Amino acid sequence: MPSRIELIFDFVSPNAYLVWWPLRDIVRRTGAEFDVTPVFLGGMHKLTGNAPPMIRDAEVKGKNEYAMLEMQRFIARHNLAKYRMHPQFPFNSITLQRLLYAADQDGRGVQFAESLLPAIWEEGIDVTDPQAIGRAVSEAGFDAKDLLARTQTDEVKQGLAANTDHAVERGAFGIPTMFVGRKGGETQMFFGKERLDQVEEELAKA
């Protein structure tokens, strides 16, 4: 059974975009399976008492400035020059996450996330406009009408909430959280895009 990376994922996190492409490189190098688990980061923060770093660390002199420096170093190291901070950040991602959950139920979660990430974090589409989201989803080759309709169903709403609860039960408190191991077997949790070397080392063990 091949080794596997599971990424706990919410479109609202800049780090979800930044970690995605280096993770995909690791998957190509190692032959590991790659899955996304859609969660609602706002709900995760509420459950864990966590908060976005820019808010949590606002009173710590120099910490947010250093975090921005580290982000720029990461962007340069991994050639992520297309990245742009979204003009509406921090935005409510609940509709996007329900769309992703519905696509994931169809077995296309990774493809959906990879298709929408550039629209959000490179092009800065209006994430409050259902029509703009629908166009982006359609252009990515998905049935936007079907997926948007399913975001209003109890199955999708409750499924996303259950994913969020379960991720927290497993120890997740933010994004990017990655679980590495063998599907159905023991996994190790890694948090933060700075842990990619450790993720690859764990894959080698698995």
Side-chain angles (χ1 to χ4, degrees), residues 36-57:
V36 293
T37 295
V39 299
F40 182 48
L41 184 57
M44 181 180 287
H45 282 172
K46 188 173 292 187
L47 288 168
T48 61
N50 198 5
M54 66 174 59
I55 296 173
R56 186 187 65 231
D57 300 330

Side-chain angles (χ1 to χ4, degrees), residues 89-163:
F89 180 81
F91 50 83
N92 188 324
S93 63
I94 192 69
T95 297
L96 289 167
Q97 290 307 105
R98 288 173 179 169
L99 286 165
L100 175 58
Y101 181 88
D104 193 50
Q105 291 302 104
D106 296 339
R108 301 183 69 192
V110 170
Q111 297 93 322
F112 186 91
E114 188 154 292
S115 297
L116 267 288
L117 278 169
I120 296 167
W121 290 105
E122 296 173 14
E123 301 163 22
I125 66 165
D126 184 352
V127 292
T128 66
D129 181 359
Q131 291 187 336
I133 294 173
R135 282 194 299 272
V137 170
S138 295
E139 288 168 3
F142 291 84
D143 185 337
K145 185 176 180 180
D146 172 64
L147 291 179
L148 283 166
R150 288 162 64 190
T151 64
Q152 301 305 306
T153 65
D154 288 342
E155 177 186 1
V156 168
K157 291 178 181 180
Q158 293 170 10
L160 181 63
N163 270 10

